[in-house]
Amino acid sequence: MRTVKHSPKHSLHHPSLKPATRLNFRLERWHRRVLYLLLGLLLISGLLWLWAHYFLTGVNDFGTIMSPLEHWSMQLHGAIVFPFSFIVGSLLLQHMRRAHKAGANRVSGWSMVALLSILALTGYGLYYLASEESRPWWSLIHWLLGCSLPILICLHILLGRRTVAFAKQATNHD
């Protein structure tokens, strides 16, 4: 039986790299910038929607009047989700798969996958499934989890940097 030898370029443990370097799963600068820009735009558009929905409504003879900002912020939010989903999907091969195989940041990483999945499901539910009675609950879950996403991302980054720092420290003491 013939064994297939993988090229070092595609190996998780490249032989020429120091152990601390192998644990570095940091995204490239352009990838981080695009991800953070889109995440920031999602957060801003979501917060604008919350502000417009709860604080900028009016009442007239026919009932409650929706602010135009509510509609525009929701459209912007929905439009930004598409490139954000693409960028998150691009993390699967180089960042998530390699980090998972190395056992790095599994809890915070899988927590982010779960949170993003629930956000996608509640966003879909708000658009396609929610009735007038259930819409406030779908919305509450969606915006509470959406507001917690930046916190979880910051925690994930800090834990990753701490892991790399510990690995570098251990390498320097050897």
Side-chain angles (χ1 to χ4, degrees):
M1 178 178 224
R2 196 173 109 193
T3 61
V4 178
K5 185 176 179 181
H6 296 285
S7 69
K9 179 180 177 184
H10 299 292
S11 173
L12 179 62
H13 303 289
H14 194 284
S16 66
L17 296 177
K18 295 178 185 175
T21 309
R22 286 191 297 221
L23 287 177
N24 189 356
F25 301 109
R26 188 173 185 178
L27 302 177
E28 292 181 38
R29 180 181 293 151
W30 73 267
H31 213 160
R32 283 193 317 270
R33 287 181 177 173
V34 171
L35 183 67
Y36 299 157
L37 172 70
L38 293 173
L39 179 65
L41 290 172
L42 279 172
L43 183 63
I44 289 168
S45 63
L47 291 174
L48 280 173
W49 180 87
L50 281 171
W51 182 51
H53 184 74
Y54 290 106
F55 299 108
L56 298 181
T57 57
V59 178
N60 67 8
D61 295 336
F62 300 106
T64 305
I65 302 171
M66 186 172 90
S67 167
L69 181 60
E70 185 175 350
H71 175 72
W72 286 105
S73 61
M74 190 184 322
Q75 284 189 325
L76 177 63
H77 195 72
I80 297 168
V81 164
F82 289 106
F84 182 75
S85 299
F86 179 79
I87 289 295
V88 169
S90 72
L91 298 174
L92 286 171
L93 184 61
Q94 289 301 316
H95 182 72
M96 294 165 66
R97 182 182 65 86
R98 290 178 65 230
H100 180 74
K101 282 188 175 185
N105 271 4
R106 282 188 177 173
V107 173
S108 63
W110 281 110
S111 297
M112 285 195 352
V113 169
L115 182 63
L116 288 169
S117 299
I118 296 169
L119 282 170
L121 289 172
T122 55
Y124 179 87
L126 277 165
Y127 198 77
Y128 293 109
L129 303 175
S131 65
E132 289 304 313
E133 297 83 31
S134 66
R135 181 169 300 283
W137 292 106
W138 285 90
S139 179
L140 178 68
I141 293 167
H142 188 76
W143 68 258
L144 283 174
L145 292 178
C147 288
S148 69
L149 181 61
I151 297 166
L152 185 56
I153 287 177
C154 289
L155 178 67
H156 183 69
I157 292 166
L158 291 173
L159 289 172
R161 288 181 181 170
R162 187 184 74 172
T163 302
V164 170
F166 284 149
K168 284 182 181 178
Q169 190 177 35
T171 304
N172 291 339
H173 290 304
D174 289 343

